[in-house]
Amino acid sequence: MPNRNKYLSIFFKEGREHLDSLQKGLLALEKTPDDKVLLRELMRNAHTLKGSAKLVGLEEISAIGHRMEDLFEEIEKGQKRVDDQVIDILLKGADAISRLIKAFSSNEEIPFDVSQFLLAFDQGEIPPQVVEKKLQHETASEETVRTNVKILDSLINRLGELIINKKRFESSLLRLNELCNTNAKSPLLPGLRQFRNDLEEDVLYLAYLVQELHDDALALRMLPLHTITDGFERMIRDLSREHGKMIEFSVTGAQIEMDRVLLEAVKPMILHILRNCIDHGIETLEERLVDGKKPKGSIEIAARLEEGGVNIVIRDDGRGINPALVRKTAVSKGLLGQEEAAAMEDKAVIELIMEEGFSTRDFITDTSGRGIGMSVVKKNLERLKGHLTIRSEVGRFTEMSLQLPLTLSMMEALLILCGSECFAVPLSYVQETLKIRAEDIVTAAGKEVISLRGSSIPLVSLASLLGLPEPGKFSPEEKLTVVVLGQGSQYLACAVDATLESSGIVVKSLSNQMKNVHFVFGATILGSGDPALILNVPDLFTAAEVGITAGFASRLGRDEGKAVKTRILVVDDSITTRTMERSILMAHGYDVDIAISGEDALEKVAGTTYDLVISDVMMPGITGFELTRRLRAIEKYREVPIIIVSSLATDADKREAMDAGAQAYIVKGSFDQGNLLATVEAFVG
């Protein structure tokens, strides 16, 4: 055959297209087995593969295609029924052809015994050892695409440089405006103004052209989500069958486009979460029937555009995440103490599954990993400037949301001054900026905090975190500039020298020598031509957790925060509960003492007069109810407000508290700091 290589390359391209149609069509036929139009289309794919392969001398591929076509004809004539086993055998036929095309196109040896495969195909069952199930579809044509993408990336980088240069022109134009205003009597002024006007028009047109070019080039690098999700249905089908489960899979928002770099990075994260859904989430058929659920479980991926980025939600209708099991596992692995675990809200407990080394399984599975998966997903997502949030309800669902930017080449950022240096903070993390006075800062549990809409937010000096020089003492009348950052459900207030402006910036990657530098992930060039580092906000949160405080109290010449007037006694045998309540109350200006038992509380009230008492119920020795009765028997405590905070939630318990003399009852299960503070303020202001 003349120029056989030319025809082979044509066949390889055509063959991959038919294989793609076969893979998708077979999964669709499994759901709609009576679709005759689809069946005829699949027969045509197999027939074309058979004939084309024979034409170019690839008899092995032709033979498998022939067997597949025969099986399709048996289905059409009613001799075979479309069921799981038939779909399995046809999918494995497509897999085998794919593997052969890869081998022939790379001039490799045939990777399996084709005659043995055909024999197994005719018998209706292909053991795994006959041909590998999991195939890599990396091809020579894809290499060409990768080369072109590199050129495109280089083009986008150069357009980024143009955007930076455009900003420099804009800065120069501002200086020219200043010159025109300060030289009002100069005879050169008319000509200078005309030059300024002409330059202003040129800069505006340049800005328009550069932005259009950059947007067009970036659009070429944008790919729809379905480029990574198209293969998920097959994987879920195979894994669910291995686990003896029935699962329906769906994707919405698959047309949403994202930067290719982001798609490649997020794909393994989504795959790991999907495997978790199959392994941990969806119940077996027997379990679902016992629980009154539909026999088939469901896994859904839903993507939507949200606040300049994309939110990818992965949800299953399985058993959910059991907070009690997570607590038990966290304590057994030493991540939490027993009391600390008991005091945590369920939402915070569920987020523990993202801690390194956490796994509720006592054994390893090939499907969902080795106890390191979700922590790696979280860290990798943060490197992409994304967030991971989890919602779950026992027996109903688990939902994981991956919030990502659309691209990493440009982003909106807040420019700030800190330690006489300019930094950029990704705007997606910035909640708000504030001006606070000295009296707004309080000290709680050794840390400085500010109060914002009923919540206490740790206050840190950004200069201190970054190791930069800090200003010395300042006046109590001076206002501090604070940037409040948010990451998931956590917040952090960073004191800075000043905030400048929010602006779209071009992200420049750091060199290899700076890959492991803390607190920064990239840099940008400002309109002035000066560089500015882009801060890595997750690193700031991590550093703030180890106890670095702003130190503003000492620089104000005082040892504590806001002066306190109201004295409160907190009585609880749980160190976690009493420490948490004490911290919340002190952060809001109250003077707080603690007692570890009812007996300890009676000793303290004998020597001190408190304005309010907060007590647990179930304590060794004197219970909270008995303590309340004894306090009411003391003359100076007959009118002092007493609040019961307990995990006991029955109406009988609440009545007993009221009968003993308590004025309020807060159930720990519904406890939040806003509820506690509102109750306290209702009695003592």
Side-chain angles (χ1 to χ4, degrees):
M1 181 183 293
N3 200 3
R4 182 172 183 268
N5 287 338
K6 172 187 174 183
Y7 293 107
L8 279 174
S9 63
I10 293 173
F11 168 75
F12 293 146
K13 182 176 185 299
E14 179 191 30
R16 292 185 190 100
E17 291 174 355
H18 285 297
L19 282 173
D20 186 53
S21 296
L22 278 169
Q23 292 269 7
K24 293 178 181 177
L26 286 168
L27 293 171
L29 185 66
E30 187 174 32
K31 297 175 182 176
T32 56
D34 296 326
D35 190 335
K36 301 301 181 184
V37 175
L38 177 58
L39 180 61
R40 292 296 303 175
E41 179 66 20
L42 292 170
M43 288 177 65
R44 188 186 69 80
N45 291 137
H47 177 79
T48 305
L49 270 172
K50 176 194 74 173
S52 298
K54 191 173 186 64
L55 186 66
V56 295
L58 301 179
E59 296 291 344
E60 295 85 357
I61 293 177
S62 180
I64 297 175
H66 193 171
R67 292 293 205 283
M68 293 178 69
E69 184 183 17
D70 289 345
L71 184 50
F72 281 128
E73 286 183 357
E74 290 180 38
I75 294 171
E76 186 181 42
K77 293 174 181 177
Q79 298 169 353
K80 287 278 188 182
R81 186 170 60 88
V82 175
D83 56 19
D84 291 348
Q85 187 176 3
V86 166
I87 295 295
D88 273 345
I89 202 79
L90 287 166
L91 283 171
K92 287 174 182 176
D95 288 346
I97 293 176
S98 176
R99 189 161 174 76
L100 288 172
I101 286 178
K102 181 179 184 297
F104 288 135
S105 63
S106 304
N107 292 317
E108 298 173 356
E109 292 183 3
I110 296 176
F112 58 92
D113 187 326
V114 175
S115 59
Q116 187 181 358
F117 176 85
L118 292 172
L119 181 62
F121 190 97
D122 291 340
Q123 292 172 347
E125 185 175 351
I126 301 174
Q129 62 268 25
V130 173
V131 60
E132 293 180 19
K133 292 190 297 181
K134 297 179 182 177
L135 305 172
Q136 299 296 325
H137 300 286
E138 190 173 18
T139 65
S141 64
E142 288 173 342
E143 293 292 341
T144 305
V145 172
R146 274 197 286 271
T147 302
N148 290 337
V149 166
K150 287 180 180 177
I151 296 172
L152 181 59
D153 288 346
S154 177
L155 174 64
I156 290 174
N157 285 336
R158 282 168 172 74
L159 284 168
E161 297 291 343
L162 272 178
I163 292 174
I164 292 168
N165 213 42
K166 180 259 298 183
K167 288 190 174 185
R168 296 185 68 176
F169 272 116
E170 291 169 346
S171 296
S172 298
L173 190 60
L174 289 174
R175 290 198 294 273
L176 185 57
N177 280 330
E178 292 174 1
L179 285 174
C180 290
N181 292 331
T182 56
N183 293 277
K185 297 181 180 180
S186 171
L188 299 174
L189 184 61
L192 193 62
R193 282 179 172 167
Q194 184 60 47
F195 174 69
R196 179 200 63 189
N197 293 339
D198 292 343
L199 181 61
E200 190 171 30
E201 288 184 12
D202 290 341
V203 170
L204 284 172
Y205 187 58
L206 174 66
Y208 167 76
L209 285 178
V210 169
Q211 193 61 51
E212 288 288 301
L213 280 170
H214 188 270
D215 290 347
D216 288 346
L218 197 58
L220 291 175
R221 202 169 74 174
M222 302 292 276
L223 294 173
L225 182 65
H226 70 71
T227 56
I228 66 169
T229 60
D230 278 352
F232 290 170
E233 184 171 7
R234 172 71 188 280
M235 180 207 76
I236 288 173
R237 179 190 182 276
D238 291 347
L239 286 178
S240 62
R241 287 173 61 79
E242 287 179 17
H243 287 260
K245 299 177 180 180
M246 301 168 61
I247 300 175
E248 291 180 340
F249 175 66
S250 64
V251 181
T252 57
Q255 75 284 356
I256 289 176
E257 294 188 334
M258 295 173 63
D259 193 313
R260 171 189 57 82
V261 176
L262 275 168
L263 276 177
E264 290 176 355
V266 81
K267 181 178 179 179
M269 305 180 203
I270 298 176
L271 281 172
H272 183 82
I273 293 172
L274 290 175
R275 292 188 182 106
N276 270 341
C277 292
I278 298 167
D279 195 13
H280 295 278
I282 301 295
E283 310 93 332
T284 63
L285 175 61
E286 293 77 13
E287 289 173 322
R288 292 183 69 86
L289 292 176
V290 168
D291 293 337
K293 289 186 171 183
K294 295 187 300 182
K296 279 190 176 182
S298 71
I299 299 176
E300 304 170 356
I301 296 179
R304 61 179 179 271
L305 295 175
E306 201 172 82
E307 297 179 356
V310 61
N311 187 18
I312 302 174
V313 178
I314 303 161
R315 180 186 176 106
D316 70 68
D317 71 342
R319 57 175 57 91
I321 300 171
N322 189 335
L325 178 58
V326 176
R327 282 188 176 91
K328 181 180 177 181
T329 305
V331 171
S332 68
K333 291 181 177 292
L335 298 174
L336 289 177
Q338 191 77 44
E339 292 182 347
E340 186 181 3
M344 286 183 71
E345 294 183 4
D346 285 351
K347 181 182 178 182
V349 168
I350 289 172
E351 291 179 352
L352 289 173
I353 70 169
M354 295 185 285
E355 294 296 320
E356 190 168 349
F358 184 91
S359 176
T360 57
R361 290 288 183 92
D362 294 327
F363 55 92
I364 293 169
T365 69
D366 292 332
T367 303
S368 60
R370 304 169 186 275
I372 59 171
M374 290 311 300
S375 65
V376 174
V377 170
K378 179 187 176 186
K379 288 178 182 177
N380 288 342
L381 201 59
E382 288 172 350
R383 290 193 186 102
L384 298 175
K385 313 309 137 207
H387 310 290
L388 174 63
T389 56
I390 302 174
R391 292 177 58 241
S392 185
E393 188 174 322
V394 176
R396 290 194 60 209
F397 72 90
T398 297
E399 183 178 281
M400 298 199 178
S401 299
L402 286 68
Q403 294 163 299
L404 289 153
L406 289 175
T407 177
L408 290 176
S409 63
M410 288 194 70
M411 67 169 56
E412 291 295 317
L414 174 68
L415 300 179
I416 60 170
L417 278 179
C418 180
S420 301
E421 298 286 343
C422 184
F423 295 95
V425 182
L427 207 58
S428 59
Y429 288 104
V430 178
Q431 303 300 307
E432 58 187 293
T433 59
L434 304 170
K435 292 282 189 178
I436 63 171
R437 296 184 181 275
E439 57 265 28
D440 297 322
I441 305 167
V442 299
T443 303
K447 291 187 178 183
E448 291 176 316
V449 300
I450 62 172
S451 178
L452 187 63
R453 287 182 285 279
S455 297
S456 297
I457 299 176
L459 173 67
V460 298
S461 164
L462 184 59
S464 177
L465 287 181
L466 301 179
L468 299 173
E470 294 192 75
K473 290 207 170 193
F474 57 90
S475 165
E477 289 76 32
E478 185 178 344
K479 286 187 176 181
L480 292 176
T481 300
V482 170
V483 179
V484 179
L485 305 175
Q487 178 182 252
S489 59
Q490 295 179 301
Y491 295 93
L492 183 67
C494 293
V496 300
D497 296 345
T499 57
L500 301 177
E501 62 175 342
S502 58
S503 171
I505 62 171
V506 177
V507 180
K508 310 292 288 184
S509 299
L510 298 175
S511 64
N512 289 331
Q513 295 95 321
M514 299 184 68
K515 287 293 183 184
N516 296 320
V517 173
H518 287 300
F519 303 120
V520 296
F521 75 87
T524 189
I525 307 297
L526 305 176
S528 62
D530 296 327
L533 294 174
I534 306 171
L535 293 178
N536 189 352
V537 174
D539 282 354
L540 299 180
F541 275 85
T542 300
E545 286 177 1
V546 301
I548 298 176
T549 61
F552 289 119
S554 60
R555 277 187 272 155
L556 282 166
R558 57 187 172 88
D559 295 326
E560 296 183 1
K562 187 187 302 182
V564 293
K565 297 179 181 178
T566 303
R567 301 202 70 175
I568 297 175
L569 178 64
V570 171
V571 189
D572 203 302
D573 63 321
S574 166
I575 185 172
T576 302
T577 302
R578 63 178 182 257
T579 301
M580 181 175 65
E581 291 176 356
R582 182 175 184 268
S583 297
I584 292 169
L585 294 167
M586 288 186 66
H588 287 77
Y590 298 106
D591 187 10
V592 183
D593 287 342
I594 58 175
I596 62 174
S597 65
E599 291 84 353
D600 186 25
L602 290 173
E603 289 183 13
K604 283 186 166 57
V605 299
T608 307
T609 300
Y610 294 99
D611 301 297
L612 183 139
V613 176
I614 300 173
S615 178
D616 186 21
V617 174
M618 301 304 292
M619 298 181 290
I622 300 174
T623 68
F625 297 149
E626 179 61 25
L627 173 62
T628 302
R629 282 189 282 267
R630 293 197 187 187
L631 287 175
R632 290 296 179 234
I634 301 173
E635 179 65 31
K636 63 180 180 179
Y637 280 95
R638 284 180 181 169
E639 303 299 327
V640 171
I642 299 175
I643 300 172
I644 296 293
V645 178
S646 173
S647 58
L648 301 176
T650 68
D651 290 339
D653 294 319
K654 295 174 184 178
R655 280 195 300 272
E656 185 173 355
M658 298 302 112
D659 292 343
Q663 278 98 334
Y665 196 106
I666 299 175
V667 178
K668 283 183 180 178
S670 60
F671 173 82
D672 63 66
Q673 68 177 37
N675 188 13
L676 175 65
L677 289 169
T679 306
V680 169
E681 289 172 5
F683 292 115
V684 295

